[in-house]
Amino acid sequence: MGRRRKLRELMGAIKDKASQSKAAILCKLNTNTLSSSSSLHLTLLRATTHDPFTPPNPKSLAALLSFGLSSRATASSAVESLMDRLQTTHDSAVALKCLLAVHHVIKYGSFILQDQLSVYPAGGGRNYLNLSNFRDDSTPVAWELSSWVRWYAQYIENLLFTSRLLGFFVGSNSCIVEKDKEEERVSALLNASLVRETESLVSLLEGICKRPESLGLGENRLVIEVLGLVGEDQISAMNEILVRVNEFDERLNCLSFGDSIELLGALKRSEDCEGRLLAVPNVKNDLVEGFWGLIREMKTKVGKEKDSNNKLMATMRMERESFSKSARFGDLVLRPSDSVRSSSGRLAVNAFHLSTIQSCAR
């Protein structure tokens, strides 16, 4: 088994060397547009080698990101070439490095490069990377890496979906939103939109919890590099959730019954992630504990508000039933003036309750 693994690694190294040599020769022979295309191809090959244990060279990743510093057409070609390599490879190491390169675009890429990634493909949506069935059974290591490819692809898809919903890339160094401006944007959202953003951020945390077991890859530097980037996203997502939870604290009395139910569900799902997320270095435990404490506190408040809404709805239902009975079994002969006074008085009560509910829903 060890001999087979060493043979595969040797073949991968030879393949990388041959591909890179060919691309380097084309770079020297071609000029202008062809030279730029060949240079991109060479850079991509260097950043996504077949070595299953070593992460991409930082210089190669930086060179790849540099294609987003020129024209939009060049940035588009870079994203398209990266995605083509991801979709056509059957090697788990190459696929994982392609996904890592995509993650680097999200986190460190220029605005133009990120913009091209955000609109790829035109249809967007979930599972558009189409790697849920990825399998590489050439070696035990490749087989185990395949599970990481499937999980990482799904995570990247969720990250892009959430980023589209929020209007900026979560965890991106180049799209850092100032706290005051973010709080101002969030405060202007409708309740339904605020709930939807919170649910999407929580789903990002849930995705992190579904990462594969390391098993024999615990010391694999490639996997460690992946988890490092995901861990940084995790902190960013938790911070974004905190901003929205604080906003909900200001709106508790104005949440509709439906919004309360959906928010309570999101908070419960978030609480279920406690103890299953990544242990991120350089993050104090008291900050993490403070996050979970706030989630539990808000869940309790929303639960009480939901119960209060239930009682209000029950009271309104009883009043409607009482009004209906009085209309059916009241005096058979009524003076017009009595009828007007009774009706307006009853409707005034109902109108008060309805206006209260509607104002809270808004």
Side-chain angles (χ1 to χ4, degrees):
M1 188 68 68
R3 184 177 180 181
R4 182 184 177 186
R5 172 181 144 184
K6 289 181 179 179
L7 179 60
R8 174 177 169 79
E9 291 176 6
L10 178 60
M11 292 176 61
I14 293 174
K15 187 175 181 179
D16 287 334
K17 189 66 176 178
S19 300
Q20 292 175 30
S21 298
K22 180 180 178 181
I25 293 173
L26 290 174
C27 280
K28 293 179 180 179
L29 294 178
N30 295 325
T31 58
N32 300 331
T33 305
L34 291 177
S35 178
S36 176
S37 178
S38 300
S39 177
L40 171 59
H41 184 56
L42 177 59
T43 301
L44 187 57
L45 289 175
R46 288 174 175 170
T48 57
T49 62
H50 290 74
D51 185 350
F53 300 100
T54 307
N57 188 304
K59 291 183 179 180
S60 299
L61 288 173
L64 182 61
L65 295 181
S66 69
F67 285 93
L69 300 177
S70 55
S71 67
R72 187 172 295 274
T74 302
S76 178
S77 297
V79 170
E80 186 174 354
S81 297
L82 176 58
M83 291 302 190
D84 284 346
R85 183 157 174 78
L86 175 62
Q87 295 293 328
T88 56
T89 187
H90 299 288
D91 186 282
S92 57
V94 173
L96 197 59
K97 291 179 183 181
C98 285
L99 290 169
L100 193 61
V102 172
H103 205 165
H104 270 260
V105 171
I106 294 173
K107 195 165 186 63
Y108 306 111
S110 66
F111 171 79
I112 295 178
L113 202 59
Q114 291 176 341
D115 183 57
Q116 292 303 306
L117 180 63
S118 68
V119 297
Y120 179 93
R126 296 183 184 271
N127 196 35
Y128 71 84
L129 294 180
N130 196 29
L131 293 174
S132 56
N133 295 319
F134 184 90
R135 299 287 188 281
D136 179 3
D137 59 357
S138 55
T139 67
V141 172
W143 177 257
E144 194 167 353
L145 275 180
S146 296
S147 63
W148 284 91
V149 170
R150 294 191 297 272
W151 168 77
Y152 200 20
Q154 185 178 31
Y155 171 78
I156 292 294
E157 289 168 349
N158 288 339
L159 179 60
L160 290 172
F161 181 85
T162 301
S163 297
R164 289 190 186 105
L165 186 62
L166 269 60
F168 61 90
F169 284 98
V170 178
S172 172
N173 286 10
S174 58
C175 291
I176 294 177
V177 180
E178 294 180 15
K179 186 176 180 181
D180 292 341
K181 290 184 178 180
E182 173 63 359
E183 291 178 351
E184 182 179 350
R185 187 193 74 84
V186 168
S187 66
L189 292 174
L190 296 175
N191 288 342
S193 298
L194 197 58
V195 169
R196 189 160 57 249
E197 288 190 359
T198 304
E199 288 177 328
S200 189
L201 287 163
V202 170
S203 71
L204 207 56
L205 297 185
E206 291 176 320
I208 296 175
C209 295
K210 296 176 182 178
R211 64 191 180 278
E213 295 292 334
S214 294
L215 298 177
L217 298 178
E219 302 299 323
N220 187 302
R221 290 170 53 206
L222 177 55
V223 172
I224 292 173
E225 181 79 10
V226 168
L227 293 178
L229 287 182
V230 173
E232 293 175 5
D233 291 345
Q234 174 182 300
I235 298 302
S236 296
M238 292 170 73
N239 286 332
E240 293 298 334
I241 290 174
L242 282 180
V243 171
R244 285 150 184 80
V245 167
N246 287 329
E247 179 62 27
F248 276 122
D249 196 23
E250 300 291 330
R251 303 188 187 188
L252 274 181
N253 296 329
C254 292
L255 289 178
S256 68
F257 182 73
D259 289 336
S260 298
I261 292 293
E262 292 182 9
L263 176 58
L264 189 60
L267 293 173
K268 288 180 178 179
R269 287 164 48 205
S270 176
E271 194 175 27
D272 289 341
C273 294
E274 185 176 6
R276 300 164 56 207
L277 293 173
L278 293 169
V280 182
N282 304 321
V283 177
K284 296 181 179 179
N285 289 333
D286 57 341
L287 295 177
V288 177
E289 289 300 321
F291 172 82
W292 297 119
L294 186 59
I295 292 296
R296 285 190 287 269
E297 179 183 345
M298 180 55 61
K299 190 183 73 170
T300 301
K301 289 182 178 180
V302 175
K304 290 180 179 179
E305 189 67 23
K306 180 177 71 70
D307 293 339
S308 176
N309 284 338
N310 276 335
K311 292 179 180 178
L312 179 60
M313 293 180 69
T315 301
M316 289 181 60
R317 186 164 52 250
M318 292 176 62
E319 289 183 355
R320 284 197 301 268
E321 291 175 354
S322 176
F323 174 73
S324 178
K325 288 180 180 179
S326 65
R328 290 197 305 267
F329 304 112
D331 295 334
L332 296 178
V333 179
L334 292 176
R335 295 189 306 273
S337 58
D338 291 339
S339 176
V340 171
R341 285 196 296 271
S342 174
S343 175
S344 61
R346 179 66 64 184
L347 289 177
V349 174
N350 286 336
F352 170 75
H353 286 296
L354 287 174
S355 63
T356 302
I357 293 288
Q358 290 171 351
S359 64
C360 287
R362 288 195 296 269

